[in-house]
Structure formats: C-alpha cells, structure tokens
Amino acid sequence: MLASLQAQAGNAISVDDLVRAGELWLFDQKIQLPSDRAIRDVAREAFSAAEISALEVVRQHLPPARLDHVLKEVFSKRRGRNSTTVVEWLKVPSGKHSPSNLADVVGKIEFLKSLGVDKWTLNGIPLLRMRSFGQHVVDRPPAQTQRLARGTLHLEIVCFLRMMLMELADVALFMSGRRILNLVNTASATVSRR
C-alpha cells in the first residue's frame, strides 16, 4: 500500500486524499480495511516523502543564498502610502479590466520576473501540489508564514511565487483582450455614428 500511496502522493493535496486513495486501494485488492489510524500513518509517511522530494527540487534549482534574497524581497515593505508587504500586495486580487488594474497586474509580473521566477524550472513538482503549497501562503497572514521552518518556508514561497506568475500572466492576457475588445467596440460605434 505504501508504494501505491507514494505514487499518488505527488498529486495529493492533503493527507486525507491519500487516506481515501489507500482505502480504495485496499478495497480493490480485497484486503480488509485496517483501522483509520494505520492507513493515516502510511498516508502521512507518503505525503511527507513527496514534500521532501519537492523541497529537494527547489533546493536543486535555487541555492540557499538566492532563496534568502527572494524571502527578503517578498517580506519587505513596499514604498508608498500603503506600507503593506510585497506578499500582501501580490495576494490582492486584480479588479476589472481598467487601465490602472492592468498596469498593476503588469507591475506584479515585472516584479516576479525581476526575482527570476520565470526562469525557475520546477518540473519535479506536480502542478496540483505546487498550487497547494502556494495556497498555504495565500491562506495565512505573512507573519505566520515567516515563522515556518526554513525548508517549509522556502518550498511554500517558491511555489506561491511561481503560481502567482502563472495566474497573473493569465489575468493580464484576459484584461488585455477585454481592453482590445472595448477599443474595437468604441471605434466601431464611432465609425457607425459618423
């Protein structure tokens, strides 16, 4: 059962997902289900092994000095009247497709590219798992994120930044498309009036 759960652990979002997968595997093998705790212990072990391998992928592609620089930049205060941290700024959802919101999204993308997020090759971490690690940063306040263990902090911040870059690129494309559509409609209406 451990080998089966380790194979599925890369795409599992939580230990509970692996527990359900373990129960299904045992049922398919016609093996009597042991206690929930026994299955949960095996699932935790598989989940932990997947987390360790994801952290190894991060450390393989980003040296510790680079990771420390990224953490310093991400948790620093932004300039301006709203002295929020960069993490809080990145977490703020974009509004509608106005020029100012599009400029804000492009600014976030430029910041992430200045950190080199677009060059990180994290192919060893499945996309679902990367999204899950990044979502942990979104769900908790920055002060709590900073207090995480060093390895967990590195893994979650790297996944968060990578996921933000992907999402912001999609948002920028969508907003640009909407802006172009508005310009075409306005130009068409002006030509029709004339």
Side-chain angles (χ1 to χ4, degrees):
M1 179 171 77
L2 179 61
S4 171
L5 291 182
Q6 283 176 337
Q8 296 179 27
N11 289 322
I13 295 174
S14 68
V15 173
D16 292 331
D17 287 346
L18 285 179
V19 169
R20 279 189 292 272
E23 289 171 347
L24 288 173
W25 184 85
L26 289 169
F27 182 76
D28 288 343
Q29 302 299 316
K30 296 182 175 38
I31 299 172
Q32 183 177 4
L33 292 177
S35 68
D36 180 65
R37 182 175 180 162
I39 297 172
R40 194 163 293 279
D41 288 344
V42 174
R44 268 193 221 102
E45 184 180 338
F47 195 78
S48 177
E51 193 169 301
I52 289 168
S53 71
L55 183 58
E56 287 173 6
V57 168
V58 168
R59 287 186 174 154
Q60 181 182 11
H61 296 295
L62 292 160
R66 181 75 182 132
L67 285 170
D68 290 338
H69 171 71
V70 167
L71 288 176
K72 182 182 172 196
E73 289 289 324
V74 166
F75 288 110
S76 65
K77 294 277 188 183
R78 293 188 67 228
R79 292 187 185 117
R81 289 183 291 168
N82 294 343
S83 61
T84 60
T85 61
V86 172
V87 171
E88 292 170 318
W89 172 61
L90 289 171
K91 289 196 284 189
V92 172
S94 56
K96 295 192 177 192
H97 55 277
S98 69
S100 62
N101 287 339
L102 181 58
D104 187 48
V105 169
V106 170
K108 289 177 182 179
I109 291 172
E110 287 174 356
F111 171 77
L112 292 171
K113 288 180 82 175
S114 74
L115 291 178
V117 177
D118 57 321
K119 295 178 180 76
W120 296 348
T121 54
L122 303 174
N123 298 334
I125 305 173
L127 197 57
L128 280 174
R129 201 62 193 270
M130 191 182 304
R131 182 173 294 283
S132 174
F133 287 133
Q135 191 63 40
H136 293 307
V137 176
V138 172
D139 293 340
R140 77 169 78 88
Q144 284 183 356
T145 301
Q146 281 183 294
R147 287 194 294 261
L148 292 173
R150 183 177 166 95
T152 305
L153 177 62
H154 286 169
L155 178 61
E156 288 187 4
I157 287 295
V158 165
C159 290
F160 167 73
L161 295 175
R162 184 63 176 207
M163 292 310 302
M164 286 306 300
L165 180 62
M166 287 191 242
E167 288 176 16
L168 289 169
D170 290 345
V171 168
L173 288 171
F174 175 75
M175 287 178 144
S176 298
R178 293 296 303 260
R179 294 291 306 149
I180 290 169
L181 187 62
N182 284 350
L183 288 171
V184 168
N185 287 341
T186 304
S188 176
T190 303
V191 167
S192 296
R193 275 197 312 270
R194 288 184 181 171

